[in-house]
Short mmCIF file of all heavy atoms in Angstrom, two decimals:
data_model
loop_
_atom_site.label_atom_id
_atom_site.label_comp_id
_atom_site.label_asym_id
_atom_site.label_seq_id
_atom_site.Cartn_x
_atom_site.Cartn_y
_atom_site.Cartn_z
N LYS T 164 -16.60 -1.80 -4.09
CA LYS T 164 -17.42 -2.31 -5.20
C LYS T 164 -16.56 -2.75 -6.38
O LYS T 164 -16.85 -3.71 -7.07
CB LYS T 164 -18.39 -1.23 -5.69
CG LYS T 164 -19.62 -1.05 -4.83
CD LYS T 164 -20.50 0.04 -5.44
CE LYS T 164 -21.70 0.32 -4.57
NZ LYS T 164 -22.52 1.41 -5.14
N ARG T 165 -15.46 -1.98 -6.57
CA ARG T 165 -14.60 -2.22 -7.73
C ARG T 165 -13.56 -3.30 -7.44
O ARG T 165 -12.73 -3.60 -8.27
CB ARG T 165 -13.91 -0.92 -8.13
CG ARG T 165 -14.89 0.20 -8.47
CD ARG T 165 -14.16 1.47 -8.89
NE ARG T 165 -13.37 2.02 -7.80
CZ ARG T 165 -13.86 2.86 -6.89
NH1 ARG T 165 -15.15 3.18 -6.92
NH2 ARG T 165 -13.09 3.35 -5.94
N GLN T 166 -13.58 -3.85 -6.23
CA GLN T 166 -12.61 -4.87 -5.86
C GLN T 166 -13.31 -6.22 -5.67
O GLN T 166 -14.53 -6.32 -5.65
CB GLN T 166 -11.89 -4.46 -4.57
CG GLN T 166 -11.16 -3.13 -4.71
CD GLN T 166 -10.46 -2.74 -3.42
OE1 GLN T 166 -10.23 -3.57 -2.54
NE2 GLN T 166 -10.11 -1.48 -3.30
N LYS T 167 -12.55 -7.24 -5.46
CA LYS T 167 -13.13 -8.58 -5.30
C LYS T 167 -13.77 -8.76 -3.93
O LYS T 167 -14.49 -9.71 -3.70
CB LYS T 167 -12.05 -9.64 -5.50
CG LYS T 167 -11.55 -9.72 -6.94
CD LYS T 167 -10.49 -10.79 -7.09
CE LYS T 167 -10.00 -10.89 -8.52
NZ LYS T 167 -8.96 -11.92 -8.68
N GLY T 168 -13.46 -7.87 -3.03
CA GLY T 168 -14.02 -7.96 -1.68
C GLY T 168 -12.94 -7.84 -0.65
O GLY T 168 -11.77 -8.07 -0.93
N GLY T 169 -13.31 -7.45 0.57
CA GLY T 169 -12.33 -7.30 1.66
C GLY T 169 -12.61 -8.30 2.76
O GLY T 169 -13.57 -9.06 2.71
N ILE T 170 -11.76 -8.33 3.72
CA ILE T 170 -11.89 -9.26 4.85
C ILE T 170 -13.18 -8.98 5.61
O ILE T 170 -13.40 -7.87 6.08
CB ILE T 170 -10.68 -9.13 5.79
CG1 ILE T 170 -9.42 -9.51 5.03
CG2 ILE T 170 -10.84 -10.01 7.02
CD1 ILE T 170 -8.14 -9.23 5.77
N GLY T 171 -14.04 -9.98 5.69
CA GLY T 171 -15.27 -9.83 6.47
C GLY T 171 -16.36 -9.06 5.76
O GLY T 171 -17.41 -8.81 6.32
N LEU T 172 -16.15 -8.67 4.49
CA LEU T 172 -17.15 -7.90 3.75
C LEU T 172 -17.77 -8.79 2.68
O LEU T 172 -17.06 -9.43 1.90
CB LEU T 172 -16.51 -6.67 3.12
CG LEU T 172 -15.85 -5.70 4.10
CD1 LEU T 172 -15.17 -4.58 3.34
CD2 LEU T 172 -16.88 -5.14 5.06
N ARG T 173 -19.11 -8.80 2.60
CA ARG T 173 -19.78 -9.77 1.74
C ARG T 173 -20.22 -9.20 0.40
O ARG T 173 -20.27 -9.90 -0.58
CB ARG T 173 -21.00 -10.33 2.49
CG ARG T 173 -20.61 -11.09 3.74
CD ARG T 173 -21.79 -11.31 4.65
NE ARG T 173 -22.40 -10.05 5.07
CZ ARG T 173 -21.87 -9.26 5.99
NH1 ARG T 173 -20.74 -9.55 6.56
NH2 ARG T 173 -22.48 -8.14 6.34
N GLY T 174 -20.58 -7.96 0.33
CA GLY T 174 -21.05 -7.39 -0.91
C GLY T 174 -21.81 -6.12 -0.64
O GLY T 174 -22.36 -5.96 0.45
N PRO T 175 -21.86 -5.18 -1.60
CA PRO T 175 -22.46 -3.87 -1.35
C PRO T 175 -23.97 -3.93 -1.16
O PRO T 175 -24.65 -4.78 -1.70
CB PRO T 175 -22.09 -3.08 -2.61
CG PRO T 175 -21.89 -4.12 -3.66
CD PRO T 175 -21.35 -5.32 -2.95
N GLY T 176 -24.49 -3.01 -0.36
CA GLY T 176 -25.92 -2.94 -0.12
C GLY T 176 -26.22 -2.35 1.24
O GLY T 176 -25.43 -2.52 2.16
N GLU T 177 -27.38 -1.66 1.35
CA GLU T 177 -27.74 -1.00 2.61
C GLU T 177 -27.84 -2.01 3.76
O GLU T 177 -27.42 -1.74 4.88
CB GLU T 177 -29.06 -0.26 2.45
CG GLU T 177 -28.98 1.01 1.61
CD GLU T 177 -28.06 2.05 2.23
OE1 GLU T 177 -28.06 2.16 3.47
OE2 GLU T 177 -27.34 2.73 1.50
N LYS T 178 -28.40 -3.17 3.48
CA LYS T 178 -28.57 -4.19 4.51
C LYS T 178 -27.22 -4.65 5.05
O LYS T 178 -27.03 -4.80 6.26
CB LYS T 178 -29.35 -5.36 3.95
CG LYS T 178 -29.67 -6.44 4.99
CD LYS T 178 -30.48 -7.56 4.36
CE LYS T 178 -30.75 -8.66 5.39
NZ LYS T 178 -31.52 -9.78 4.80
N GLU T 179 -26.31 -4.91 4.11
CA GLU T 179 -24.98 -5.38 4.50
C GLU T 179 -24.21 -4.30 5.26
O GLU T 179 -23.51 -4.59 6.22
CB GLU T 179 -24.18 -5.80 3.26
CG GLU T 179 -24.65 -7.11 2.64
CD GLU T 179 -25.84 -6.91 1.71
OE1 GLU T 179 -26.31 -5.75 1.57
OE2 GLU T 179 -26.31 -7.91 1.14
N ILE T 180 -24.36 -3.04 4.83
CA ILE T 180 -23.68 -1.94 5.52
C ILE T 180 -24.17 -1.84 6.96
O ILE T 180 -23.37 -1.70 7.89
CB ILE T 180 -23.92 -0.60 4.78
CG1 ILE T 180 -23.21 -0.61 3.41
CG2 ILE T 180 -23.42 0.59 5.61
CD1 ILE T 180 -23.58 0.57 2.54
N GLU T 181 -25.49 -1.93 7.14
CA GLU T 181 -26.05 -1.84 8.48
C GLU T 181 -25.62 -3.02 9.35
O GLU T 181 -25.35 -2.87 10.55
CB GLU T 181 -27.59 -1.78 8.39
CG GLU T 181 -28.27 -1.43 9.70
CD GLU T 181 -27.76 -0.15 10.32
OE1 GLU T 181 -27.53 0.83 9.57
OE2 GLU T 181 -27.56 -0.12 11.55
N THR T 182 -25.53 -4.20 8.72
CA THR T 182 -25.06 -5.38 9.46
C THR T 182 -23.64 -5.20 9.94
O THR T 182 -23.31 -5.47 11.11
CB THR T 182 -25.14 -6.64 8.55
OG1 THR T 182 -26.49 -6.84 8.15
CG2 THR T 182 -24.65 -7.87 9.31
N ASP T 183 -22.78 -4.71 9.05
CA ASP T 183 -21.39 -4.50 9.44
C ASP T 183 -21.25 -3.39 10.48
O ASP T 183 -20.37 -3.44 11.34
CB ASP T 183 -20.53 -4.18 8.21
CG ASP T 183 -20.08 -5.45 7.50
OD1 ASP T 183 -19.79 -6.44 8.18
OD2 ASP T 183 -20.02 -5.46 6.26
N ARG T 184 -22.13 -2.38 10.37
CA ARG T 184 -22.10 -1.31 11.36
C ARG T 184 -22.42 -1.87 12.75
O ARG T 184 -21.77 -1.51 13.74
CB ARG T 184 -23.09 -0.21 10.97
CG ARG T 184 -23.00 1.03 11.87
CD ARG T 184 -23.92 2.13 11.41
NE ARG T 184 -23.35 2.84 10.26
CZ ARG T 184 -23.88 2.85 9.04
NH1 ARG T 184 -25.00 2.17 8.80
NH2 ARG T 184 -23.31 3.51 8.07
N ARG T 185 -23.41 -2.75 12.80
CA ARG T 185 -23.76 -3.38 14.08
C ARG T 185 -22.62 -4.26 14.59
O ARG T 185 -22.33 -4.29 15.79
CB ARG T 185 -25.04 -4.20 13.94
CG ARG T 185 -26.31 -3.38 13.88
CD ARG T 185 -27.54 -4.23 14.18
NE ARG T 185 -27.65 -5.38 13.27
CZ ARG T 185 -28.31 -5.34 12.12
NH1 ARG T 185 -28.91 -4.22 11.72
NH2 ARG T 185 -28.38 -6.41 11.36
N LEU T 186 -21.97 -4.98 13.67
CA LEU T 186 -20.85 -5.86 14.06
C LEU T 186 -19.69 -5.05 14.64
O LEU T 186 -19.09 -5.44 15.64
CB LEU T 186 -20.37 -6.66 12.84
CG LEU T 186 -21.27 -7.82 12.39
CD1 LEU T 186 -20.77 -8.39 11.06
CD2 LEU T 186 -21.30 -8.92 13.45
#
Side-chain angles (χ1 to χ4, degrees):
K164 281 181 184 178
R165 301 181 296 273
Q166 300 180 18
K167 292 181 180 179
I170 298 171
L172 301 176
R173 296 165 301 284
E177 288 297 323
K178 184 179 178 181
E179 287 83 359
I180 292 171
E181 191 54 41
T182 300
D183 276 323
R184 187 176 282 115
R185 284 198 303 270
L186 285 172

